Amino acid sequence: MESLRIIEIVGTAAFSIAGAFAAMEKKLDVFGVFIIAFITALGGGTLRDVLIGKVPVNWMLDLSSAVVVLITTVTVLFFKSVIKNYHNVLLFFDSIGLGFFTVVGIHTGIALDLHPVISISLGTITACFGGVIRDVSLSNIPLIFQKEIYATTCIFGGLIFFILSWLGVPKMPVEIICLVSIVVFRLLSVRYHWHLPTIYKPEQPSS
Amino acid sequence: MESLRIIEIVGTAAFSIAGAFAAMEKKLDVFGVFIIAFITALGGGTLRDVLIGKVPVNWMLDLSSAVVVLITTVTVLFFKSVIKNYHNVLLFFDSIGLGFFTVVGIHTGIALDLHPVISISLGTITACFGGVIRDVSLSNIPLIFQKEIYATTCIFGGLIFFILSWLGVPKMPVEIICLVSIVVFRLLSVRYHWHLPTIYKPEQPSS
Amino acid sequence: MESLRIIEIVGTAAFSIAGAFAAMEKKLDVFGVFIIAFITALGGGTLRDVLIGKVPVNWMLDLSSAVVVLITTVTVLFFKSVIKNYHNVLLFFDSIGLGFFTVVGIHTGIALDLHPVISISLGTITACFGGVIRDVSLSNIPLIFQKEIYATTCIFGGLIFFILSWLGVPKMPVEIICLVSIVVFRLLSVRYHWHLPTIYKPEQPSS
């Protein structure tokens, strides 16, 4: 359980940073930056816990996640004048959060004895929906619906997780390989504009 | 219970199709199309179940809904080049889902012994909110807030349901009359741009 | 408990009015106005109750909140031609709802023995999220993310609440001072465009 808690804290910090930069792109005030960082970091896990009925949600009972968000936001605000390109920092930390939170979400499903397909869905929800709520709140088009591969990396990472587990690889290497694959794959797909082959003909009139 | 399950499956399939076409209008990749189909088909029922506390929500415990969404989405992707006007197909299947899911939601309220007004609300939430989440995710103005009659047909259908039940009409005809009325009424209101009488004077400066 | 129920009803009525005017700004039909009034008035409390696991949510078991929304919406529709500036009325009643619902949400946290920081968060969620859901549904930028001070007044009011309580001030004066401070502070910040000191340099290229 120890390694999972560390993974969760790293993911929380990464998503707080991504959220803080998204809020600063929109010139929100300090409280707005904190609120968006909080929503980004805890929104996906909150949605997951509400869907499985684990309420009151964990951040109400244990303040440590809120403290992580607070520390990261203050750090971001402190170093923000050093950063030139907010959007690239956002994309970088969002990718890290994506990998770490997918692993956390998959474990939630396993702990409830849910089907692997649903466990992968819970990983994807945990990883993706904090960012969706962030983007909808800021009136941005959610990253998940943009051209580059996004949720697909979580599903792909989840498959790696279960295949390695079935092959008998121990828990910690499985977690590390799963999260590293997702982070690397997502970063590469942003960097090189990877996307799934299009299903639309160039000239197709869609409406 | 059997007839209700069939109604739910038909509604799920209809909303998946509507969701898939909404996603294809926005040129999402295959996974995006599947995720939007899933959200549209299961979002309303998920919100309903979270509000009444029926968690873990059903699609986590029983994969059949996810399978219905998968099959419908694959079918849609297969036949998509035959379709000329995505938006009309979307509106057609959205209307069907609206009727079928209103009946499902009303039954949830009845099973919990809730007041008919709340049961009709649950029917409306089940029927309307998958589409609202779909439209907000895709940065569209939700159909429910557009000019043509939408949620009103669910309320109207719910009234028919309870009036017929009070008159002693058996369960299955009540369900069929309720859902057919909603589908037909919604389709006609789209086709002929029916809307409630306006409450705004033409020249009124609203702000 | 009596005073808290009165505070909740006043807050519900104020947010219904704010919601109804937001919907009329967008020229929604009568049912749209009612639905948006309902979402605005009950959305924040519903999110809070789902997060703490108090389900089925209260408005399903007790129709009085729905009746308050219905009466207020009908009244608004009746008097609407007298009103010149919808947006100012919206901002005025939104401020009143903000103060009253913060107190209601703080009490929910106290009743669950949650940490004061989390109780203040629950107050802020109860007060702010009905408006967020309203604004996202209507494709407006949420008030909470606009320039003037918004969520910050709830946090500030929550601090006053706990400081006065620790000083031994009795419950009712604490509630009244807390809610009046929030309403007055928010109204002043709208009127005089108060905002937190900016953290952005004027020339900063943010992306």
Side-chain angles (χ1 to χ4, degrees), chain B residues 196-201 204, chain C residues 24 28-30 33 77 80 86:
Chain B
L196 294 178
T198 183
I199 54 174
Y200 307 99
K201 303 198 196 86
Q204 175 164 8
Chain C
M24 295 193 310
L28 265 52
D29 65 36
V30 273
V33 171
L77 290 170
K80 82 182 176 44
Y86 286 9

Side-chain angles (χ1 to χ4, degrees), chain C residues 168-185:
Chain C
V169 180
K171 188 167 158 274
M172 199 180 301
V174 168
E175 290 170 353
I176 292 170
I177 294 169
C178 170
L179 71 84
V180 169
S181 320
I182 294 172
V183 175
V184 169
F185 197 77

Side-chain angles (χ1 to χ4, degrees), chain A residues 63 66, chain C residues 114-122 162:
Chain A
L63 283 180
Chain C
L114 297 172
H115 190 281
V117 166
I118 298 302
S119 298
I120 294 176
S121 304
L122 282 177
F162 280 103

Side-chain angles (χ1 to χ4, degrees), chain A residues 1-205:
Chain A
M1 194 52 110
E2 199 48 56
S3 75
L4 193 60
R5 183 70 190 129
I6 293 167
I7 291 173
E8 190 169 13
I9 288 172
V10 176
T12 304
F15 270 139
S16 305
I17 297 173
F21 277 95
M24 294 193 312
E25 265 197 309
K26 293 270 171 162
K27 306 259 184 217
L28 263 53
D29 65 36
V30 273
F31 274 98
V33 172
F34 178 74
I35 290 172
I36 293 290
F38 191 89
I39 287 175
T40 310
L42 300 175
T46 299
L47 177 59
R48 176 200 64 214
D49 288 347
V50 165
L51 293 179
I52 62 175
K54 217 174 114 217
V55 283
V57 293
N58 199 52
W59 56 261
M60 290 194 189
L61 306 174
D62 172 4
L63 283 180
S64 63
S65 299
V67 170
V68 171
V69 175
L70 185 63
I71 293 171
T72 0
T73 313
V74 170
T75 312
V76 165
L77 290 171
F78 194 78
F79 282 106
K80 83 182 175 48
S81 53
V82 187
I83 309 292
K84 289 283 167 268
N85 189 323
Y86 285 9
H87 200 70
N88 283 356
V89 179
L90 188 173
L91 289 174
F92 179 77
F93 284 100
D94 192 86
S95 306
I96 292 179
L98 208 64
F100 282 69
F101 269 18
T102 302
V103 171
V104 174
I106 288 172
H107 272 295
T108 311
I110 292 172
L112 284 174
D113 257 331
L114 296 173
H115 190 281
V117 166
I118 299 301
S119 298
I120 294 176
S121 304
L122 282 176
T124 308
I125 288 171
T126 310
C128 296
F129 272 79
V132 170
I133 304 171
R134 170 195 69 208
D135 292 332
V136 168
S137 300
L138 296 173
S139 307
N140 293 330
I141 295 172
L143 285 179
I144 195 178
F145 298 124
Q146 289 180 18
K147 219 179 167 189
E148 282 81 17
I149 289 168
Y150 194 87
T152 315
T153 57
C154 301
I155 297 167
F156 157 85
L159 290 175
I160 289 178
F161 187 102
F162 280 102
I163 290 168
L164 293 180
S165 299
W166 285 324
L167 295 175
V169 180
K171 188 166 158 278
M172 199 179 300
V174 168
E175 290 171 352
I176 291 171
I177 294 169
C178 171
L179 71 84
V180 169
S181 321
I182 295 172
V183 175
V184 169
F185 198 77
R186 168 67 186 158
L187 285 174
L188 289 173
S189 76
V190 170
R191 177 71 186 77
Y192 296 105
H193 301 287
W194 285 354
H195 51 82
L196 294 178
T198 183
I199 54 174
Y200 307 98
K201 301 196 198 87
E203 75 287 271
Q204 174 165 7

Side-chain angles (χ1 to χ4, degrees), chain B residues 19 24 43 51 56 62 83 95-96 117 147 169 179 200 207:
Chain B
M24 294 193 310
L51 294 179
D62 171 5
I83 308 291
S95 305
I96 293 178
V117 166
K147 220 179 167 193
V169 179
L179 71 84
Y200 307 99
S207 152

